[in-house]
Amino acid sequence: MYWNREIETMERAALETLQLQRLQDTVLRVAQRVPFYQERFAAAGFTPDDLRSLADVRRLPFTTGADLRATYPAGLLAVPLDDAVRLHTSSGTTGKPKALYFSRQDVDHAAELIARCLVMSGMHAGDVLQNIMTYGLFTGALVMHYGAEKVGCLVIPAGPGNSERQLMLMQDFRTTAIHATPSYALYFADFLEKKGVDPRKELSLRRAFVGAEPYTEETRRKIEAALGLQVFNSYGLSEMNGPGVAFECPQQHGMHLWEDHFLLEIIHPETGDPVPDGEQGELVLTTLCREAMPLLRYRTRDITTVLPEPCACGRTHRRIQRIAGRSDDMLIARGVNFYPQQIESILMGMPALGRNYLIVLEGLDELTVKVELAEAGFDGQVEHLARLQSRIADSIRAELLVKPKVDLVPPGTLPVSEGKAKRVLDKRSL
Ligand code: DLL
């Protein structure tokens, strides 16, 4: 099912022509209206006339998160402030956040892209979407909300937390789909298990749209098995509207990135050089339709790979692979670089383990992995526990070449956060 068949299945050549035209418009507009880009263009000796093909995008300067913070709160506005109708900020963990402005058209476009995503997954008018993301400055809930309304779904603005109430809403309003972070989806699965609720028999859930933080294929399968639904990976970032940038189709193999709205590049995170399709690197995005705050070559810091092969679903917009991690989340212990997801993928593949974990780094690169046991994961025999511990440590060593200490803790004892999960506690820098 398509929301906009013509655009979603557009021939590549036509799509690229459209991209070039939109890129040229965007560049011209920022060159006329945004002092930040005027200065960057001048410093690079670039003028909008230099942009003759899509490959010329490489002549444009990058924009970084630091640039957005430095221009807070005015932002990189390309329209008079009066034309902005909505403000979101990004989740800034330190210092000032990034201020992101939307015009009325930007709000409509964001909803339009979500509508494409939802219909692609099989949603239609009549579906009931329980939106378990945080409403507020975070884009996650509001952008999804407007898009789902556009499709004609009944949207329940539940917000996160309070699992008893989530369950009541699901039962009373026959929720068919949820929108949640992977960590909350796992937490809710635990909650149902403890309450003895069988979602397959007692709930009407069929789909979950899961994103806003990195998670692994093993985690997806765990959520699917526990909640009896299909999980669609959803990728986005506040700087690019929020959710709705890239989304899985029913093939569940990579996420179609809406290339009529975003120009996609993969670069080497250190050199900035382009990386060919099929190879891993940092995702860089340029907005092609944003009115209030266009961004050129935004460094997302997210590490992924373009899957260049055509997709069986018929959509021509290229897919990106599940995010492997953020370049700024990369950990280094004993000289080895790794992403938390490499550990997650081992833990979530072991049925004896539960759904929450924490990676602790301290002292001289001591790596400890704390992980909850599954409710039914431990039969009380200490030697079984010891065997499990060394199996985990060995698997992690085989993956990372660093042997961690493994702490097995009872279910429900590790901290949970309402927003994005904190999987790493790095005490080395404290
Ligand atoms: O998290 C937007 C969003 C909301 C996406 C709801 C999907 C669902 P930010 O708070 O700006 O925006 O965080 C963006 O979160 O750069 C990635 O590092 C990470 N992220 C988002 N989706 C995924 C995903 C929203 N599916 C940052 N897989 C991004 C992995 C993700 N990481």
Side-chain angles (χ1 to χ4, degrees):
M1 265 192 299
Y2 301 99
W3 174 256
N4 185 337
R5 184 184 198 113
E6 196 189 328
I7 293 280
E8 292 172 47
T9 61
M10 204 171 195
E11 292 288 335
R12 287 295 310 173
L15 183 54
E16 285 170 16
T17 304
L18 181 67
Q19 285 185 310
L20 179 59
Q21 180 207 323
R22 290 181 171 175
L23 179 65
Q24 286 167 332
D25 287 352
T26 300
V27 167
L28 197 59
R29 260 179 344 101
V30 301
Q32 287 163 349
R33 301 180 184 192
V34 185
F36 168 88
Y37 282 119
Q38 287 164 349
E39 285 163 27
R40 290 288 168 96
F41 287 177
F46 172 86
T47 65
D49 291 340
D50 295 336
L51 196 71
R52 294 200 195 86
S53 72
L54 284 177
D56 290 334
V57 71
R58 286 181 214 140
R59 306 194 49 188
L60 295 170
F62 289 118
T63 311
T64 64
D67 294 329
L68 290 190
R69 288 207 172 82
T71 51
Y72 176 92
L76 299 177
L77 272 173
V79 295
L81 191 56
D82 285 356
D83 290 349
V85 300
R86 198 197 285 179
L87 175 80
H88 279 289
T89 66
S90 76
S91 36
T93 40
T94 48
K96 295 285 190 192
K98 303 163 200 156
L100 290 318
Y101 294 88
F102 290 60
S103 68
R104 189 169 300 284
Q105 180 182 286
D106 296 332
V107 169
D108 286 348
H109 280 168
E112 168 78 20
L113 295 184
I114 292 288
R116 280 189 206 170
C117 297
L118 294 182
V119 169
M120 173 162 76
S121 81
M123 295 280 280
H124 44 68
D127 266 301
V128 180
L129 177 79
Q130 193 158 323
N131 198 358
I132 312 184
M133 291 279 182
T134 306
Y135 278 80
L137 287 167
F138 177 50
T139 50
L142 272 177
V143 170
M144 171 58 78
H145 186 117
Y146 278 62
E149 281 186 354
K150 206 177 180 82
V151 173
C153 303
L154 173 64
V155 187
I156 307 178
N162 198 341
S163 299
E164 285 288 353
R165 192 184 55 190
Q166 302 288 356
L167 175 60
M168 182 194 79
L169 292 168
M170 282 175 199
Q171 285 168 330
D172 294 350
F173 300 101
R174 297 182 185 284
T175 301
T176 59
I178 57 171
H179 181 216
T181 58
S183 45
Y184 186 77
L186 288 171
Y187 178 79
F188 187 69
D190 265 348
F191 167 82
L192 290 187
E193 194 175 291
K194 276 193 210 110
K195 275 195 82 83
V197 174
D198 180 348
R200 287 180 178 76
K201 295 206 183 102
E202 297 169 55
L203 300 176
S204 315
L205 297 176
R206 299 187 57 194
R207 298 181 179 82
F209 309 114
V210 175
E213 55 190 32
Y215 63 113
T216 61
E217 195 56 35
E218 288 75 13
T219 298
R220 178 230 291 275
R221 297 295 164 214
K222 220 161 177 155
I223 300 171
E224 290 187 330
L227 295 179
L229 43 63
Q230 199 177 4
V231 168
F232 292 84
N233 194 5
S234 158
Y235 170 79
L237 59 162
S238 325
E239 296 85 329
M240 302 283 139
N241 300 347
V245 174
F247 209 85
E248 273 178 342
C249 66
Q251 304 289 321
Q252 289 186 307
H253 181 51
M255 298 175 280
H256 290 280
L257 190 140
W258 300 122
E259 292 187 83
D260 57 325
H261 279 252
F262 304 103
L263 186 72
L264 122 80
E265 296 172 79
I266 304 284
I267 63 161
H268 189 287
E270 270 132 48
T271 62
D273 292 336
V275 162
D277 280 2
E279 277 180 36
Q280 203 175 59
E282 178 183 334
L283 177 66
V284 170
L285 295 172
T286 298
T287 64
L288 296 176
C289 301
R290 285 263 294 235
E291 204 174 41
M293 215 174 130
L295 292 175
L296 304 182
R297 305 192 83 200
Y298 186 70
R299 301 278 305 253
T300 67
R301 307 282 169 199
D302 292 320
I303 304 297
T304 185
T305 308
V306 167
L307 301 172
E309 317 79 49
C311 182
C313 79
R315 288 177 185 79
T316 48
H317 299 239
R318 283 177 300 168
R319 289 163 296 161
I320 55 167
Q321 218 158 38
R322 176 181 295 286
I323 305 295
R326 284 182 62 79
S327 59
D328 33 17
D329 284 351
M330 193 169 70
L331 297 168
I332 306 183
R334 310 215 173 136
V336 176
N337 300 2
F338 61 96
Y339 291 112
Q341 285 66 48
Q342 287 174 266
I343 293 183
E344 175 177 315
S345 118
I346 291 166
L347 303 178
M348 293 297 149
M350 294 189 176
L353 297 180
R355 304 181 177 111
N356 201 356
Y357 70 93
L358 183 70
I359 298 168
V360 183
L361 283 152
E362 58 199 325
L364 291 172
D365 286 358
E366 305 300 332
L367 170 65
T368 305
V369 176
K370 291 176 188 272
V371 58
E372 288 181 4
L373 287 161
E375 277 306 330
F378 177 47
D379 58 10
Q381 293 201 33
V382 177
E383 72 266 28
H384 287 179
L385 208 55
R387 224 178 298 143
L388 180 59
Q389 243 165 343
S390 58
R391 197 151 63 84
I392 299 168
D394 289 346
S395 308
I396 293 176
R397 193 189 42 191
E399 168 75 21
L400 309 183
L401 308 174
V402 176
K403 189 160 182 173
K405 181 170 165 275
V406 175
D407 269 0
L408 297 173
V409 301
T413 54
L414 288 177
V416 272
S417 45
E418 272 214 347
K420 303 197 184 210
K422 292 179 188 58
R423 300 298 195 189
V424 179
L425 180 61
D426 196 343
K427 295 183 177 168
R428 295 172 304 181
S429 49
L430 296 180

